[in-house]
Amino acid sequence: YSVSWNEDGQIEKLFDKRAGRSVLKDGQLGNVLEVFEDKPVNYDAWDIDIFYTQKMETAKAQAAPEVVESNSLRTVVRFVYPYRKSKITQDVIFYAHTPAIDFDTQVDWHEDHRLLKAAFYTDIRSTKATYDIQFGHVERPTHWNQSWDWARFEVCGHKWADLSETGYGVSLLNNCKYGYNIKDNAMKL
């Protein structure tokens, strides 16, 4: 990959050298740490209402990133994002022999009624996304053309979510979060 970040710690360029194409849509960003107000009408501990997207802030890096490891196997770049009373420390790990990029994120969260998501605005065009579930996978549309699509804005998934077009795709893999939403080209965990 060829990668560059803006001063807020968000990826502004992610070019896949093997495929010869940009992973992110022109003018869009990746690894945007979006924070939303989370005050659902019912079931405070379990519900996310669709109107949560109306109030959003972005966590921004407090200083220049630090290269904490660089050798023949991998390079690790550390970012620190303060947000109100909380602190997000993230190591972005690039490997020499695999196209995976790891985001090892540690969050010291001291907020009430706030929902944190990592957003990637990809250059993938697809009408559906695929999500891992217990005994297989489930597909959901990436548009909200029908009333029932509006009701499925957040999707449960276990280990991964995938957005692919013919010949190319992007997947978000994780080991501890189970809520995704993919709308148009935006993948959020």
Side-chain angles (χ1 to χ4, degrees), residues 37-53:
E37 183 179 78
D38 182 25
K39 293 184 178 178
V41 175
N42 295 308
Y43 313 112
D44 187 35
W46 305 106
D47 234 359
I48 299 174
D49 290 330
I50 195 165
F51 57 79
Y52 82 91
T53 60

Side-chain angles (χ1 to χ4, degrees), residues 115-166:
L115 175 68
L116 174 65
K117 286 187 171 271
F120 296 84
Y121 295 89
T122 69
D123 193 25
I124 306 296
R125 292 177 49 95
S126 180
T127 58
K128 65 180 179 182
T130 308
Y131 306 86
D132 173 49
I133 59 173
Q134 186 175 8
F135 296 112
H137 67 275
V138 64
E139 292 180 348
R140 294 285 185 261
T142 58
H143 56 78
W144 294 348
N145 293 345
Q146 305 293 329
S147 59
W148 53 86
D149 297 331
W150 281 85
R152 298 186 295 186
F153 64 92
E154 186 82 8
V155 181
C156 295
H158 285 195
K159 298 177 185 171
W160 53 263
D162 178 78
L163 182 63
S164 292
E165 61 190 24
T166 303

